[in-house]
Amino acid sequence: TWAAGIPVSSSHALVGGLLGAALLEAGPAAVQPQGLAKIGAALLLSPLLALLAAFAVMAATRWCLRTASPKANLALSRAQIVTATALALGHGANDAQKTIGMIALGLFVLGVTPAFTVPWWSIALAAAALSLGTAFGGGRVVRTLGARFYRIRPIHGFAAQAASALVIV
């Protein structure tokens, strides 16, 4: 997906990978149905919440700009700096937790740590990995979604980033 610039859900990949490993190692008894139901609900509901939030933000933005001139695009482009920052903060706060959890799980399973703990360096490592991944692969995803799938204008970018940040945070 990175080479093609197509976004991928690390949450879905993580859940599938852990579920597959647990089923292979310990069988169906290792799966906690209540926990799996909570995760499944979150994975299914978050895109729907994002859709509703984006619709509301887009409608409110269009209403606020109903008498604006095309120069409003400049203001929206500048506002995207704020929404992109909020989105990056939310993304880092959420996706970094998955990476940190996997590091802590690996260290515990391998016997490196006596308990399931989070070493300070795993937080720094997760932040660095997310930053580098976004820096080197983020542009491709933005170009694919912003030009090949759908032509995104400043109003769309603003609304999408604001709604995504709201839902993630």
Side-chain angles (χ1 to χ4, degrees):
T1 59
W2 178 82
I6 300 170
V8 65
S9 172
S10 58
S11 299
H12 290 78
L14 177 62
V15 170
L18 288 173
L19 186 59
L23 286 170
L24 182 63
E25 179 63 25
V31 177
Q32 301 293 317
Q34 306 89 339
L36 194 57
K38 288 178 187 177
I39 292 168
L43 291 176
L44 291 173
L45 289 177
S46 60
L48 296 174
L49 288 173
L51 173 74
L52 294 173
F55 185 85
V57 171
M58 184 68 170
T61 304
R62 288 180 62 140
W63 185 84
C64 289
L65 297 175
R66 68 189 179 281
T67 60
S69 71
K71 290 184 180 182
N73 283 329
L74 181 61
L76 287 167
S77 294
R78 289 184 179 150
Q80 279 185 276
I81 295 169
V82 176
T83 58
T85 302
L87 183 55
L89 177 65
H91 177 258
N94 282 282
D95 279 9
Q97 303 308 311
K98 291 183 284 198
T99 305
I100 293 165
M102 290 303 296
I103 292 170
L105 179 64
L107 293 172
F108 177 64
V109 168
L110 293 173
V112 176
T113 57
F116 186 78
T117 59
V118 177
W120 69 268
W121 55 264
S122 68
I123 297 169
L125 187 63
L130 280 171
S131 298
L132 289 171
T134 302
F136 289 110
R140 288 180 182 210
V141 172
V142 169
R143 277 190 298 281
T144 299
L145 293 177
R148 288 179 39 204
F149 287 172
Y150 181 78
R151 178 76 177 132
I152 295 179
R153 309 256 186 255
I155 191 169
H156 305 129
F158 170 79
Q161 289 175 342
S164 296
L166 285 170
V167 171
I168 291 173
V169 172

